[in-house]
Amino acid sequence: MKFAKIIGVGKYLPKKVLTNRGLEKMVNTSDEWIIARTGIKERRIADKNEATSDLALKAGVDALKNARIKAQDLDLIIVATITPDTQFPSTASIIQSRLGAKKAACFDISAACSGFVYSLIIAQQFIESGLFKNVLIIGAEKLSMVIDWTDRNTCVLFGDGAGAAVVSRCEKPGILSTYMGGDGSLGNLLMVPAGGSRIPTSHETIDQKLHYLRMQGNEIFKLAVKAMTDAAKKALLKAKLNISDIDCLITHQANARIILATGKRLGLSQDKIFMNINKYGNTSSASIAIALCEAIESKRIKKGGIVVLDAFGAGLAWGACVIKW
Ligand code: COA
């Protein structure tokens, strides 16, 4: 029997910090409102010349270093992103070239905020089937380029960043169970309408700001709590574990109120929930990856600990992984 395990994690955050006070100068909002409604204090914004692959590469290098494996030993690179450098080639191909990971296959996946959890589950399949030994997964986003910086309903919520993990074949199981779910009929609740084949880029689409993220926040809020609660329960059941077995819950970092409501519905005490949304806002596919990295760095996750990764986002797509660290 072959098992998959995360053997190293990494992250990269752009240097520029945009605080709530900074946003007060851009739109009609306040530090107090943003903190009370979302828990976000600041977010990172990538430089004009910094593309998603630049963030992804740094997170990937960090993960390889922590995993103590060489890029040449990678069999596969998966980049989860909704803000790729170009429509094609994939951002994973750019990473493969820049890492010199010559024998690695590479592709991107589009699962928005569930992208990192979905990539982990995909990596697990390749490893447990025996096809591959070492897979680098990266969640990376430059969301600042799809945000309408005049829309206070959305611009206060998002940020840029990247997180990564090396998933490798191991003797003992590291990923104990997984669950994936989706509801495409609700896709219009969170989307970028133009720039694809349905509404290609034109002067009109740009004038109408159709290349920016649109969201029905209230609806998404309720659905996120419900879906992440359900996903965590289903994954735990598959692993034959109980809520009380969880040492650390890492949900998607979209809103502190969503995270705490999910924890409450699960019946989990707050000290078991890891949050870093205050520093970075919602970085979509990078959120859980960065949080996992910081939970490990800060020793919130210890060897042998049971960790639940719990994701929800555009699609709608959601899912959870129970891992033993
Ligand atoms: N600053 C100040 N006021 C703001 C504001 C801002 N940045 N954004 C919205 N408001 C106002 C609204 O206009 C509204 O005013 P009104 O009552 O006069 O109409 C009021 O605040 C309340 O808005 P509401 O949308 O009800 O707030 P909320 O408590 O639901 O919080 C979100 C809004 C977006 C923070 C919240 O719905 C949310 O987090 N949704 C989920 C987002 C998400 O997870 N997205 C990604 C999923 S992966």
Side-chain angles (χ1 to χ4, degrees), residues 27-30 33-34 37-38 112-113 151-158 190 215-222 224 252-255 257-258 282 284 312-314:
V27 287
N28 180 15
T29 190
S30 69
W33 191 96
I34 302 170
R37 301 292 181 114
T38 72
C113 305
D151 175 15
R152 71 173 185 176
N153 290 301
T154 52
C155 77
V156 303
L157 301 172
F158 299 94
L190 180 54
M215 181 181 73
Q216 291 179 38
N218 284 326
E219 281 307 305
I220 290 281
F221 190 109
K222 287 177 263 175
H252 174 49
Q253 307 283 302
N255 183 323
R257 285 158 54 216
I258 293 178
N282 180 349
S284 193
F312 173 87

Side-chain angles (χ1 to χ4, degrees), residues 77-298:
I77 299 169
I78 306 172
V79 174
T81 186
I82 48 168
T83 51
D85 284 27
T86 50
Q87 291 218 4
F88 62 88
S90 68
T91 302
S93 304
I94 299 166
I95 300 301
Q96 188 243 29
S97 161
R98 291 176 71 183
L99 281 176
K102 289 212 160 52
K103 74 170 172 122
C106 36
F107 58 82
D108 289 359
I109 69 152
S110 172
C113 305
S114 296
F116 183 75
V117 165
Y118 277 30
S119 299
L120 180 59
I121 297 170
I122 296 167
Q124 178 201 19
Q125 308 314 307
F126 278 116
I127 291 168
E128 295 190 352
S129 70
L131 192 64
F132 291 143
K133 217 167 153 187
N134 297 309
V135 182
L136 175 64
I137 59 171
I138 307 176
E141 306 287 0
K142 187 177 178 179
L143 291 174
S144 56
M145 69 160 204
V146 292
I147 298 301
D148 177 357
W149 290 101
T150 65
D151 175 15
R152 71 173 185 176
N153 290 301
T154 52
C155 77
V156 303
L157 301 172
F158 299 94
D160 301 332
V166 177
V167 191
S168 291
R169 192 188 294 168
C170 282
E171 297 298 312
K172 288 187 187 152
I175 300 167
L176 304 184
S177 69
T178 64
Y179 172 78
M180 295 165 105
D183 186 349
S185 71
L186 298 173
N188 61 344
L189 294 179
L190 180 54
M191 71 187 306
V192 174
S197 60
R198 178 65 66 195
I199 310 177
T201 305
S202 67
H203 288 297
E204 288 74 36
T205 60
I206 290 168
D207 290 344
Q208 291 166 25
K209 297 187 170 186
L210 295 176
H211 298 83
Y212 291 135
L213 177 149
R214 305 236 168 142
M215 181 181 73
Q216 291 179 38
N218 284 326
E219 281 307 305
I220 290 281
F221 190 109
K222 287 177 263 175
L223 291 163
V225 175
K226 193 170 168 298
M228 288 200 292
T229 305
D230 187 54
K233 280 186 183 167
K234 287 196 165 120
L236 280 167
L237 195 67
K238 276 196 198 175
K240 299 192 174 62
L241 292 172
N242 299 310
I243 302 293
S244 58
D245 294 313
I246 299 177
D247 294 303
C248 186
L249 173 72
I250 301 179
T251 73
H252 174 49
Q253 307 283 302
N255 183 323
R257 285 158 54 216
I258 293 178
I259 301 169
L260 293 175
T262 304
K264 197 169 171 196
R265 280 211 189 180
L266 286 169
L268 196 65
S269 62
Q270 220 168 300
D271 60 305
K272 300 277 176 76
I273 302 170
F274 185 84
M275 277 203 278
N276 62 1
I277 185 169
N278 56 323
K279 296 190 287 184
Y280 308 129
N282 180 349
T283 57
S284 193
S285 67
S287 269
I288 287 181
I290 296 168
L292 176 64
C293 186
E294 295 196 341
I296 291 159
E297 282 169 358
S298 63

